Structures are given as structure tokens and as C-alpha cells.
Amino acid sequence: MSFSPARIPVIILFFLSINFIFEDAFPQKISKAFEVYKTTRSGEKIYIHLDKSIYHYSDDIWFKLYLTDGLTNLPDTLSHIAYVELINESGTIISSKKVKIENGVGNGDFSLSKDFIEGTYRVRSYTNYLRNFGDEFYYHRDITILNGNSQDQVQALDTTKNTNSDLVKTSTPFHLDFFPEGGDMVEGITNPVGFKATNLKGEGIDLTGKIINTKDEVVAIFESYKFGIGSFFLRPIIGEKYRAVVNYENNEWTFDLPKPLAKGFAIRVNNITDGVIKILLKTNIPGGLKNCTLIGQMRGKMILAKDNIKSNKDEAMIILSSEELPNGVLQLTLFGKNNEPHCERLVFIKSDFNIPSLDITTDKTNYKTRDKVEVIITPDKNNDIYYMNASMSVTNSGVLGMEKSYADNIVSNLLLTSDLKGNIENPGYYFSKDENKNERKRALDNVMITHGWRRFSWKEVFSENQPTLKYTPEKGFNISGQIVSANRKQDPVPSGFVSLALKSKNGISFNQEDADENGYFKFSNLNIPDSTQVLLTAFENKVKEGRKDS
């Protein structure tokens, strides 16, 4: 995609610094609204590093959990407890763990057995605080558990099998959706239109097609670029309707395109040139861009605020330097003169950055069975690494060969998949140095067009009355229960008290809590290390003779 300077009547060049001084009331309002929003709804992100994704029933599933702030991606200090669940294909929770989080990390494992039915399972993780925002903000990853001869099954395993979502009945053997850049097609304006084609399992498919008008004239052609995603250009004519005729598996299928707006705004982005983002704003409303505002935000931080656009024409270009911007998804939104959002575009900033590398060596080159293996991990001398919290898995090479090459990893998860709606297929591809850089950038830009931002909506940010969050961050473990009598009826013992003793590697600690009139008690925010012994002792009311056990 390229823009000719000779055709652009207004060029506004930004050499960006991260901090802005807002002179206009609306950008200042947005900045203040963000600060209020972040204090109550910043959210959290979870990434889990598993030792592998294919297991035999005799294995343990080892994991390390990373918990970060939802906006900064820095280690989270809000929650100290996370939940990790193992769920079968029918949605039943087979096993669950409460994991203690210290400095944003925790670890644990699931022990498997021959009772596990062979199939696809889902690892799901969340905090109590994340329950406020719904399942789409939880961490999910599918794994396979085998219960026969592991090596034979691995060799025959179809790793593309997806059994966690029911197949949707449809008249076509695939799904095809269209996403005009900016949100809508606008009559008289050349619009890039993204599309995503998937089979009934949700996997991207290759297909070709053409766009035709009501006269059956071909006005555009298209084909999948990567993982079923692609884009094409279309200039809708006033009053015209368009259809897509698709060729797939030697058959033709027809789909209606979204109806163009008679009057509206469009946003086009050229992000191919390193260090520069060209943003072209267009409208078919005379003088419609005058006094509009372009806002750019990344993970809750204001990156761009161009207010009172001085354009009496139908288009304006803004050139943004991205050299100093952090990595990740930039959300661009064009607001009208009455501060209403017109169109939106996501842009990924600097996918081709240097990830700090590590040198990994072993103390020997050859080992006997059950020999101790010493692994030395050394940061590359060219990287300024002063502190590192890492995890490493050691896996059978036969199983490793069946792992997806471009599966989600901590980089793609924190910077990409956790911020977008829907499933991103092979997210690791977009950050792989083994693939062509320009091809990756083009494919990633198609992802930006076809997937929406999910961290918040502008309506939520501007709301003056932020809703009260039902679930609060947990700072430690909770133990609760009820004191009942030892008789057969187990009557509640009112207003007693409970003594708690904890014995761990750190020593012995004691706590005491009173019960209410119905015998209920609760110990909150306890620090309980792994393998701690817990002793609870219940007592009746205090009487003249002193307290006595219930």
C-alpha cells in the first residue's frame, strides 16, 4: 500500500515524544478518563509456560505461570493467588490448582493417571480479579492426553484436531467474514477490506474469489495471504451492492459484502516502512474532517492526540514516527467534532524487534542413562539483562516434533493475542526471525484489520460512573468453614472461635478468628507456602471456667 504526496492536500508530520501537553479540552478529557479507568479496571494478563502440549497418562503436566499488569505487561502486584484448571472436552473441570503468586510468577503441576480419557483438554487460568471481565480475558491453551502407546500415538496424531468448540452447522463447508478497514465501507472512497476464511474447526483456509456488482461485473479479486486472512481494495459506487464469489474445493459460493455507508469516514494506514506510520483520513462529507480529533492509545497510555484537524478538504494525512514507541497494538480512533467515534484502526508497532537471547550449554556432550545433566544458561553479552525470571522445558524429541512450530509464546501472548478478539492462528509466526520480514509485516497488518481490540470500549472509558467490581484481588489464601457440634445433628455452634496453626519450612505460625452467630468463620489473605501442614481447632463460647473445645 502506498500514498502519493501529490494527491494529499494536507500533511501533518509528528516526531513523537511519549508525553503530551494537551491544549484542547477533548484530548485532555480522554487522558483524565484513562487515568480514572486504569485505577479500577486495568486488568491482568496470564501466560502459562507448559513443558509440552502432548502428554501420556503417566506424565505430570508441569507449568510456570506469569501474571502481568494488563496495561503495562510488567509483573503484577495486584493478585497473589491464581487458579489453574484442567478441563475435558465436555467442559467439566477435571482438576484445579490454587497457585501462589510472588513477584508475578508461580508454578505447579497436574498429576495424570490411566483414568484420563484420551483426547483434547484445555488448560484455563484466571485470578479472582479477572472474573470481573469474563472468560475471554482468561488464559486458555489446548493440550492432548494419550492413554495408549505414547510413541505410536504421537506418530499418528493429528495435531490440528480441535474438539474444544462444537462445529457450527452451516450451508457452506467454511466461514468467510469481511472487515472493512476502519469499520465501514464508505461510498466514493477506496476502502481496503480485510477478510478471514476458516474451516469448521476454526483453522484458516486458502481460497480465491472475486467481487461483483449487481451487473455481475468483476470489480476486485482476492485470495488468502496467510492462515486464511487477506485483504483487497474496493471503491463502492453510490447505491451499488456487492457480492463475493468464492472458489473453494472446486465449488463456488456467494456471500454478500457489508453495505457501504452513504456518508461517513474512513481511515487507511501504511505501516510497511520501518519507523514511519502513514495515517490517511478520508470522508465524503464536505468539510467533515474539520475539527475532528485523532487519538492513539497503547495499553491505556495516550500515544497520539491530534485535535482540531485543520482540513476543509475530504482527506488529510498524518505521519507518525514509531521509533520511540513501545512494542504492541496501537489503537487509532477518529472522533468527530462532537467527540463521537467515527472509525478505528489497529496497528502493530515494531514486530521485528530484538528479543534478548540466551546461550544454553551442558556440562557434557554425551550422557549415560539417568546421568545428571547440568545446564548453564548465560545471557548474551550484547543484551543489557540485569535480572531475569525464566523457565525452560526439557522434552522428548519425538514428542517435540509434533508441537506446532508457531504456537503462542510469551512474546506473542503479551503483545498480541491477549489484546485482540478471537483466535489468532499460529501467532508465533508474526515474531519469527526465520520468516521473511516483509511477508510477516503484511500478514500481521491483515490481522490488525480483521481482529478488534478487546481490552476496553470507549463507552466504558468515558463513563462517569465506573461500575463497582464484584471480585477483588486476592492477597493470600482463604480458609473458611462452620463450627458445628459433635452430636449427630451437627447443630451450629454460635459465636465460638477457631485457632489456626500453620507449619511450614519457614516455621510455625498461629492465627485466631471469631465465628459469627451461625458458627461461620473465615481466615483471609494467609501466606501458605507449598507443603504447609494446617491444623484447625474449634472452641465454644467463652464461659466462666474458660474456653473449652467444641
Side-chain angles (χ1 to χ4, degrees), residues 274-288:
D274 289 340
V276 176
I277 301 173
K278 297 179 181 179
I279 306 165
L280 180 63
L281 307 174
K282 302 196 73 172
T283 182
N284 59 3
I285 301 173

Side-chain angles (χ1 to χ4, degrees), residues 342-362:
H342 285 311
C343 51
E344 185 172 281
R345 174 67 147 87
L346 302 183
V347 185
F348 198 91
I349 306 298
K350 292 186 296 190
S351 62
D352 195 48
F353 62 95
N354 290 322
I355 301 174
S357 59
L358 303 174
D359 293 327
I360 301 176
T361 58
T362 56

Side-chain angles (χ1 to χ4, degrees), residues 20-44:
F20 287 90
I21 299 175
F22 302 112
E23 298 177 355
D24 183 76
F26 182 59
Q28 190 176 42
K29 175 185 176 181
I30 293 179
S31 181
K32 290 181 178 179
F34 262 130
E35 292 305 315
V36 173
Y37 182 84
K38 288 189 293 184
T39 58
T40 58
R41 301 176 68 85
S42 62
E44 297 170 319

Side-chain angles (χ1 to χ4, degrees), residues 3-11 315 317:
F3 303 115
S4 173
R7 297 181 60 250
I8 307 302
V10 177
I11 298 179
E315 60 182 43
M317 178 181 280

Side-chain angles (χ1 to χ4, degrees), residues 237-286:
I237 303 301
I238 296 176
E240 186 62 273
K241 296 180 180 180
Y242 299 92
R243 293 172 294 155
V245 179
V246 176
N247 299 302
Y248 180 65
E249 294 184 343
N250 298 320
N251 288 303
E252 276 194 351
W253 310 87
T254 302
F255 298 82
D256 292 330
L257 261 64
K259 183 179 179 180
L261 297 179
K263 298 292 182 180
F265 297 80
I267 181 171
R268 286 174 57 183
V269 173
N270 185 332
N271 190 31
I272 300 301
T273 304
D274 289 340
V276 176
I277 301 173
K278 297 179 181 179
I279 306 165
L280 180 63
L281 307 174
K282 302 196 73 172
T283 182
N284 59 3
I285 301 173

Side-chain angles (χ1 to χ4, degrees), residues 45 47 136 139 329 348 408-428 430-431 454-455:
K45 293 181 181 180
Y47 176 76
E136 68 173 322
Y139 174 85
V329 179
F348 198 91
D408 206 13
N409 55 56
I410 194 168
V411 174
S412 61
N413 181 273
L414 293 181
L415 296 181
L416 181 66
T417 57
S418 61
D419 284 337
L420 299 182
K421 291 180 179 178
N423 177 58
I424 311 295
E425 188 174 356
N426 296 315
Y430 303 105
F431 303 91
R454 73 175 183 179
R455 283 281 147 190

